[in-house]
Amino acid sequence: FTYLAHPDLIHFVGETGIYRQHMKQLCRYARQADIPLELNLLGMRSGRHYPSAEFFALAAEEGCKIIFGMDAHEPHDIQETDTEQKAMEIVRHFGLNLLNTVELRPL
């Protein structure tokens, strides 16, 4: 995979320890496999439950690479700079390793 989209899409409402255990495992594997994790901007634009601060705190702890995903459903979504600035606040807050680009991996 070139990157993992929506890694924080799970809206888990159970025991925090279970969430942390499994999401740390996902983050650890992504780091070891050198697969960036997407911070999805659609969730921010539309007020969804993601991006998840709890998830990206774990991603930062594990040293994961992050890539922004525009998830543009409409052409004007690409020019939505306010959302990108909010995403940059998340990156700075957690000290995430944000990539500007990723190379497509061969099939």
Side-chain angles (χ1 to χ4, degrees):
F1 298 101
T2 299
Y3 68 91
L4 180 60
H6 292 291
D8 57 337
L9 188 62
I10 298 169
H11 188 57
F12 187 78
V13 293
E15 184 181 324
T16 302
I18 293 171
Y19 177 85
R20 287 184 56 80
Q21 173 189 351
H22 291 285
M23 293 301 105
K24 276 184 82 85
Q25 183 178 1
L26 182 149
C27 290
R28 193 169 296 130
Y29 175 78
R31 180 183 39 79
Q32 290 170 352
D34 197 28
I35 298 173
L37 302 173
E38 177 200 48
L39 195 156
N40 186 280
L41 302 188
L42 174 63
M44 297 182 93
R45 279 195 309 274
S46 58
R48 299 179 186 195
H49 66 275
Y50 60 89
S52 164
E54 185 174 5
F55 178 84
F56 285 102
L58 294 172
E61 287 175 20
E62 291 298 323
C64 294
K65 294 177 182 175
I66 305 298
I67 188 80
F68 285 167
M70 294 301 293
D71 206 347
H73 290 226
E74 300 291 332
H76 66 270
D77 291 340
I78 293 173
Q79 297 176 328
E80 194 5 272
T81 57
D82 290 344
T83 304
E84 190 171 341
Q85 290 305 314
K86 290 177 187 174
M88 282 303 297
E89 290 173 17
I90 292 172
V91 168
R92 284 190 290 273
H93 178 76
F94 292 111
L96 293 165
N97 180 10
L98 179 65
L99 303 176
N100 290 321
T101 61
V102 292
E103 294 284 326
L104 291 176
R105 294 183 189 223
L107 296 175

